[in-house]
Amino acid sequence: MARTIGVTIDIAAADRITAKTYPNPDVSYGGVHLVSGLSTGAVTQHQVVVDQPLLIFKQREARVGAANLNVTAEEGRVDETLSARRLQVRQAFATLLSRQQQLAVVRESLTDLQRIEEVVRGRAEAGERSEYDVARIETEAERMQVDVVNSEADVEDAAG
C-alpha cells in the first residue's frame, strides 16, 4: 500500500523532467501558385516557417523550481497520509488492549461474585441469611455474566 502512495511522488518527480525540456519547435509550410493574371514576380511562392519558443527571463529555472516544490509538497502529503494511517493503527491497538483489560477485570469480578454467592448460599442453608439475599446475589451474578458477554463482544469487535 505504501508503494501505491509513493507512486504519486514518482509522478511529481517526472514533471521535473518535463520542466527541464525546451518547448518543441513548430514547422509550417504554405504555398501560393498563380493560376491566372499578370505575374509580378514568381508564379509560385513557398513559405516555410520554423518557430522555436525561447524561454527567457529564467522561465526554465522557474518551471524546474515549481516542479521541485511540487515534489516536496507531494512528499509531505504522502508523509501525512502514512502518519494518519499509523495513528489509526495505534489507536485501534490501544482500544483492543483496553477492551482486553476490561474483559479481564469483569471476568475477575464475576469469579469473586460467584465465590460470594457460594458463601451466601451456604449461610442461607445454615439459616444465617434469607432467600432474598440469595436471590439478590444470583441476580447480580447473572448481570455480571451479561457484562462478561458484552465485554467479550467488545474485544471481538476491536480485534476485527
Side-chain angles (χ1 to χ4, degrees), residues 38-157:
L38 183 62
S39 175
T40 58
V43 177
T44 304
Q45 289 182 349
H46 300 278
Q47 182 179 10
V48 176
V49 178
V50 177
D51 288 330
Q52 175 63 51
L54 297 176
L55 300 177
I56 57 174
F57 305 116
K58 298 190 179 190
Q59 288 177 341
R60 185 170 181 230
E61 289 85 1
R63 287 171 39 177
V64 170
N68 287 334
L69 290 175
N70 284 338
V71 169
T72 303
E74 191 60 36
E75 288 171 345
R77 280 189 287 275
V78 166
D79 287 344
E80 186 270 333
T81 301
L82 292 176
S83 296
R85 289 183 183 177
R86 285 186 198 109
L87 177 63
Q88 288 174 344
V89 168
R90 287 183 183 134
Q91 287 174 337
F93 183 69
T95 300
L96 176 62
L97 286 179
S98 171
R99 300 260 170 93
Q100 287 174 339
Q101 289 175 354
Q102 287 173 355
L103 176 61
V105 167
V106 171
R107 282 182 177 163
E108 185 178 326
S109 297
L110 178 62
T111 303
D112 291 344
L113 197 58
Q114 287 170 341
R115 281 192 221 129
I116 293 171
E117 183 180 358
E118 291 174 14
V119 170
V120 170
R121 240 182 248 277
R123 286 188 176 176
E125 289 173 3
E128 292 180 18
R129 295 286 179 185
S130 67
E131 288 298 317
Y132 173 76
D133 291 333
V134 174
R136 212 172 72 186
I137 197 76
E138 285 176 348
T139 304
E140 189 64 28
E142 289 174 7
R143 189 189 64 77
M144 189 63 68
Q145 286 175 344
V146 170
D147 288 346
V148 168
V149 170
N150 288 339
S151 292
E152 287 172 348
D154 288 343
V155 168
E156 290 292 324
D157 184 45

